[in-house]
Amino acid sequence: MSLMAGKPLYTEDLTTGDYLIVKALRSPHAFAKITAIDTSKAALVPGIECVLTYKDVPKIRFTEAGQSYPEVSPYDRYILEDMVRYVGDEVALVAGTSEKAVNKALKLIKVSYEVLEPVLDFHKAKDAKVLVHPEADWESLIPVGADNQRNLCATDGYESGDVDAVLAGCAYVAEGTYHTLANNQAMMEPFVTSTALDAYGRLVVTSSTQIPFHVRRIVARALGISKSRVRVIKPRIGGGFGAKQTAVSEVYPAIVTWLTGKPAKMVFTRREVMIASTSRHEMEVTVRVGADKDGMLQAIDIYTLSNTGAYGEHGPTTVGLSGHKSISMYGPLKASRFKAEVVYTNTMSAGAYRGYGATQGIFALESAMDDLADKIGMDPMQLRAKNIIKEGVPVASYYDEVFNSVGLKKCLDRAKAMIDWDAKYPAKDMGNGKVRAVGGALAMQGSGISGLDQAAVEIRLSDDGTYNLLIGATDMGTGCDTILAQMAAECLECELEQIAVHGVDTDVSPYDTGSYASSTTYVTGNAVIKTCETLKKKMTGLAAEKLECPAEHIEFDGKRFFSPEDGKEISLEDLATQSHLARNDAMSASESFCSPVSPPPFMAGIVEIELDKATGQVEIIDYAAAVDCGTPINRNLAKVQTEGGIVQGIGMALYENIQYRDDGAMMNNSFMQYKIPTRLDMGKIRVEFESAYEPTGPFGAKSIGEIVINTPSPALANAIYHACGVRLRELPMTPERIKMAMLAMEKTTADPS
């Protein structure tokens, strides 16, 4: 209701007129060295508090990637530097009392550059003569095959069996190279951060972020101060989709406040969000997949080349999912292989975006699966059904993990029934140049990062018999506050209204790695269950003491503690009151959870399209999705998550197109040039759930946050192929590309020579 009423809840709403406005002067060049910078005139503008350049800030390398320490992403940036590595890179910071004064001052800064030759094509980046990061203090904390002297941010891979030999013996082999472009997360609320010093001289950072505890560490390192001097508060977030898993804006107002002692805030414009933040990683994925004469898969081979852009945020980690989260859907295989390289270029830095690399890999593999089915002469859904990974089998491509719950076959059958696949496959000519066709794809993801992601919660019994739930997980519109409260209410056998959830404050909240990697429901949910059990034991012990009977006799129904054997009882409210009277222990519990496994959710998505063969225009008629997220904790929220992810996937597949000029400037710097789908572009979206109970999950739940974006690209590519016979291997699949491919196919058919 507060959102409907427009109440001030977001980061910018919480600032006052006393906050300095911080803006950045941004580089017009893709690669250049600053040879001179004159800020004297800018500093004279009335209302300007400070103008900062690389001369004024600490020379400490850090990464903006919000990942557990030690970060996998390299330390490759300063707050400000005398080198700029993409068009939009920060050159200087201006802080003033009004936006008008700051804008005027920005125009008065004079910068001289030595313009350098940029590396813009990620195919040519590795071992290029031009090095994006030649600096000696570049550092990679974890051995991920990085080498800044080769423009390599990371390498990855594994091999199980003799892939080349097995493929050579296959009756059928499909192979191809698939190219996905960068995409902008396009969340409604841009990057917003405000900073201030408290009464004790500590830096208080209030930010729209998915990673409060990581932001604390990142800001502390960048400023060269102790983490104990930094406090991070997360208000309500207006969307993130992974963009806010990177500390894009936080260090800039932080350094202003730290140096001036005055409150400051930075609000990115939509143009800055587009050109100077992070995007999905551009990837080129080469796939080979082979099967025997009966259509049983024998081997899958994937090589991914990933473009991390100017900085390495999430570069080493994102690329792995393109292989591990695609190959692992099928098997057991005789052989599989995944190799990857991540390269630096002079384009905007890539980062986290929903799906986190799996989206790109699944587009490639699921397109290749349709090609393989075509070679065999088999229904592509039948081919998939024959080869779905089984429960209880070690999966080499998924770190030898064994899956306990695989509802993928049920999802596939449900989606086929929803769309009436057997009657509509592959296509139907509607006349007048219109063709209706269907295409489908499968997908999987994960539930947190096994052996790494950690969550803790605290639950306190208040003196009125209600509970306070303190969490470090970040609700960014996903509804995790509601879901975690539901779990607590179920464990404590009370109404949802009796659970008060408190937002993240690093001074108060228990540690949580953050809301990313589809971790919140699974990882933090398990922490909630553990904590509730601990609290119930403490309350039972107190009840036994007050009732003067053995603890093993005590039962709890959510409202009272009672002993049937002794005929005694005490209400929860009375117990809560007693817990605050002359006690040496508090009715509070805190537990942490880290999972050794990451059980994957699964999904089947099938789309029906109408293709206009005269123009190449695609209209989505129907999208049927069936999801196995284990037990849906909140079915309505899960459905909304799925619908939103499908729409984002449709945008990636058909519309969203980041392009660069020859000088490295991004052309798609607003929603006028960067199209995302509207309600009119979605068609009909239908979502159903096929639960496969996950024994390690809270109430049998797995994740749902990322899996839902992964099927639209391959499903649409496969439907387009069925409609007109052209296989598009590059996204987005615009009408122009479809029509040009059709014309090229017609020319080849007419003139085979």
Side-chain angles (χ1 to χ4, degrees):
M1 290 300 295
S2 58
L3 289 178
M4 298 290 288
K7 292 184 178 179
L9 299 167
Y10 297 90
T11 300
E12 191 175 8
D13 296 326
L14 303 178
T15 61
T16 67
D18 295 333
Y19 281 72
L20 297 173
I21 293 170
V22 180
K23 291 194 175 188
L25 178 69
R26 301 192 177 278
S27 169
H29 305 294
F31 198 23
K33 181 176 178 61
I34 299 172
T35 57
I37 184 165
D38 183 358
T39 62
S40 58
K41 291 183 179 179
L44 295 175
V45 174
I48 295 301
E49 179 68 28
C50 68
V51 182
L52 303 179
T53 72
Y54 66 90
K55 302 173 185 178
D56 307 304
V57 300
K59 302 291 190 296
I60 301 172
R61 293 280 175 198
F62 68 99
T63 176
E64 292 180 350
Q67 299 171 304
S68 294
Y69 184 85
E71 298 99 333
V72 182
S73 298
Y75 286 175
D76 57 8
R77 64 162 75 228
Y78 293 151
I79 298 175
L80 296 170
E81 192 172 354
D82 62 351
M83 295 288 294
V84 288
R85 295 182 172 87
Y86 71 97
V87 176
D89 208 349
E90 290 81 12
V91 173
L93 299 174
V94 177
T97 56
S98 72
E99 188 169 4
K100 182 178 180 180
V102 171
N103 287 336
K104 182 176 181 180
L106 285 169
K107 296 176 182 177
L108 295 175
I109 299 174
K110 302 302 180 184
V111 187
S112 297
Y113 298 95
E114 177 190 348
V115 179
L116 306 173
E117 179 186 352
V119 180
L120 299 176
D121 185 345
F122 76 129
H123 300 96
K124 301 175 181 178
K126 187 178 76 169
D127 295 325
K129 64 178 182 178
V130 175
L131 296 179
V132 179
H133 283 279
E135 59 269 16
D137 61 347
W138 178 97
E139 184 180 7
S140 179
L141 275 65
I142 294 179
V144 291
D147 187 346
N148 62 316
Q149 300 303 314
R150 300 182 63 198
N151 281 334
L152 274 177
C153 179
T155 60
D156 194 3
Y158 81 96
E159 186 165 2
S160 175
D162 191 335
V163 172
D164 295 322
V166 173
L167 284 173
C170 287
Y172 304 98
V173 175
E175 58 184 298
T177 297
Y178 301 83
H179 183 205
T180 64
L181 298 184
N183 302 123
N184 192 281
Q185 298 89 344
M187 61 283 180
M188 290 182 69
E189 182 192 23
F191 300 97
V192 184
T193 300
S194 65
T195 53
L197 297 180
D198 67 14
Y200 304 98
R202 298 176 69 225
L203 181 65
V204 181
V205 180
T206 304
S207 190
S208 179
T209 178
Q210 298 172 223
I211 48 163
F213 285 92
H214 294 327
V215 165
R216 181 178 64 174
R217 183 184 65 250
I218 291 166
V219 168
R221 176 175 175 82
L223 271 59
I225 61 178
S226 167
K227 291 196 292 290
S228 65
R229 305 295 302 276
V230 182
R231 175 186 182 187
V232 178
I233 299 171
K234 176 217 67 87
R236 183 177 290 279
I237 299 179
F241 308 117
K244 295 171 184 177
Q245 193 192 337
T246 304
V248 171
S249 59
E250 285 83 356
V251 297
Y252 302 114
I255 189 64
V256 168
T257 292
W258 193 250
L259 293 178
T260 66
K262 296 186 177 182
K265 69 175 178 179
M266 188 173 197
V267 181
F268 272 44
T269 65
R270 184 58 59 179
R271 184 176 185 275
E272 286 179 307
V273 171
M274 292 290 190
I275 71 163
S277 59
T278 63
S279 65
R280 187 186 293 283
H281 285 75
E282 177 185 20
M283 291 188 187
E284 187 173 83
V285 184
T286 300
V287 179
R288 294 192 297 162
V289 55
D292 64 16
K293 59 182 178 62
D294 298 318
M296 297 302 298
L297 294 185
Q298 304 297 301
I300 299 176
D301 185 19
I302 290 180
Y303 166 73
T304 301
L305 178 65
S306 177
N307 181 8
T308 193
Y311 300 98
E313 279 86 14
H314 302 278
T317 44
T318 303
V319 74
L321 276 66
S322 68
H324 298 299
K325 298 290 172 70
S326 56
I327 297 171
S328 305
M329 290 189 290
Y330 298 112
L333 303 167
K334 287 185 177 179
S336 61
R337 178 170 60 198
F338 169 60
K339 299 294 181 185
E341 294 176 306
V342 185
V343 294
Y344 283 113
T345 63
N346 293 112
T347 57
M348 185 179 78
S349 178
Y353 185 6
R354 192 180 203 167
Y356 205 77
T359 316
Q360 297 94 309
I362 287 170
F363 166 60
L365 179 57
E366 287 299 278
S367 297
M369 285 292 289
D370 258 49
D371 282 350
L372 183 65
D374 198 39
K375 288 175 179 285
I376 298 171
M378 181 183 291
D379 182 314
M381 291 306 175
Q382 182 184 351
L383 175 65
R384 290 176 170 86
K386 287 170 68 76
N387 290 285
I388 287 170
I389 192 68
K390 309 295 190 296
E391 293 177 358
V393 178
V395 183
S397 55
Y398 204 72
Y399 319 104
D400 290 319
E401 194 170 307
V402 174
F403 298 160
N404 298 308
S405 58
V406 181
L408 191 50
K409 177 62 165 58
K410 292 194 299 181
C411 289
L412 176 56
D413 291 341
R414 174 65 71 90
K416 285 179 62 177
M418 290 168 67
I419 208 82
D420 196 10
W421 174 271
D422 292 334
K424 295 178 178 177
Y425 170 75
K428 180 179 180 181
D429 193 325
M430 306 299 292
N432 198 30
K434 304 287 181 69
V435 179
R436 288 201 175 183
V438 290
L442 306 182
M444 66 168 276
Q445 197 77 34
S447 299
I449 303 173
S450 58
L452 183 65
D453 276 355
Q454 178 181 333
V457 302
E458 181 181 356
I459 302 179
R460 301 171 183 169
L461 176 65
S462 299
D463 58 4
D464 62 351
T466 60
Y467 303 94
N468 288 307
L469 174 60
L470 283 71
I471 62 174
T474 303
D475 194 329
M476 52 178 168
T478 55
C480 78
D481 286 359
T482 300
I483 291 168
L484 297 173
Q486 281 184 273
M487 291 184 184
E490 183 72 19
C491 292
L492 297 169
E493 301 182 67
C494 66
E495 298 298 321
L496 186 62
E497 290 74 19
Q498 289 180 254
I499 309 290
V501 182
H502 295 263
V504 187
D505 179 336
T506 57
D507 269 12
V508 178
S509 304
Y511 180 81
D512 193 295
T513 47
S515 293
Y516 60 89
S518 302
S519 62
T520 307
T521 295
Y522 180 79
V523 179
T524 311
N526 270 316
V528 168
I529 292 174
K530 285 180 65 177
T531 305
C532 287
E533 293 303 313
T534 300
L535 180 60
K536 283 168 67 175
K537 288 180 182 178
K538 292 185 71 172
M539 293 192 299
T540 299
L542 177 60
E545 177 187 323
K546 295 300 179 183
L547 296 177
E548 298 181 339
C549 57
E552 56 268 24
H553 290 182
I554 300 295
E555 297 182 25
F556 179 53
D557 65 4
K559 296 181 180 179
R560 63 194 175 107
F561 292 87
F562 60 97
S563 171
E565 291 89 342
D566 303 289
K568 298 179 179 180
E569 69 175 56
I570 183 172
S571 71
L572 176 62
E573 188 171 348
D574 286 343
L575 184 82
T577 300
Q578 291 295 318
S579 73
H580 288 80
L581 296 174
R583 301 294 303 171
N584 287 318
D585 62 335
M587 287 300 104
S588 173
S590 181
E591 295 286 350
S592 184
F593 179 79
C594 178
S595 177
V597 296
S598 177
F602 297 94
M603 178 177 175
I606 301 179
V607 66
E608 181 181 7
I609 66 166
E610 182 169 280
L611 175 69
D612 187 335
K613 298 178 75 172
T615 64
Q617 183 69 43
V618 171
E619 179 185 354
I620 295 174
I621 305 299
D622 192 9
Y623 202 105
V627 184
D628 163 28
C629 59
T631 304
I633 301 299
N634 186 311
R635 191 171 287 265
N636 288 334
L637 287 175
K639 183 179 179 183
V640 171
Q641 283 264 52
T642 306
E643 292 171 344
I646 289 170
V647 172
Q648 286 182 307
I650 289 170
M652 176 180 178
L654 299 181
Y655 303 106
E656 299 177 40
N657 192 7
I658 287 182
Q659 301 163 295
Y660 287 91
R661 297 190 320 225
D662 291 342
D663 63 358
M666 188 185 295
M667 299 166 65
N668 316 88
N669 57 20
S670 77
F671 286 136
M672 294 296 289
Q673 293 85 20
Y674 186 82
K675 178 171 173 53
I676 59 175
T678 69
R679 182 64 187 91
L680 299 177
D681 303 308
M682 299 177 195
K684 181 168 63 176
I685 296 176
R686 294 179 293 145
V687 176
E688 296 188 14
F689 297 97
E690 285 290 346
S691 300
Y693 184 88
E694 173 51 48
T696 68
F699 303 104
K702 298 186 283 190
S703 74
I704 196 170
E706 294 180 280
I707 178 69
V708 292
I709 199 173
N710 291 336
T711 59
S713 291
L716 283 161
N718 294 334
I720 291 167
Y721 176 79
H722 296 151
C724 63
V726 299
R727 168 62 63 189
L728 294 181
R729 293 186 169 87
E730 184 174 25
L731 300 181
M733 297 175 289
T734 60
E736 293 82 5
R737 283 181 174 165
I738 295 171
K739 184 61 181 178
M740 293 298 289
M742 291 172 62
L743 293 173
M745 182 181 66
E746 292 170 6
K747 182 178 179 180
T748 302
T749 304
D751 183 13
S753 61

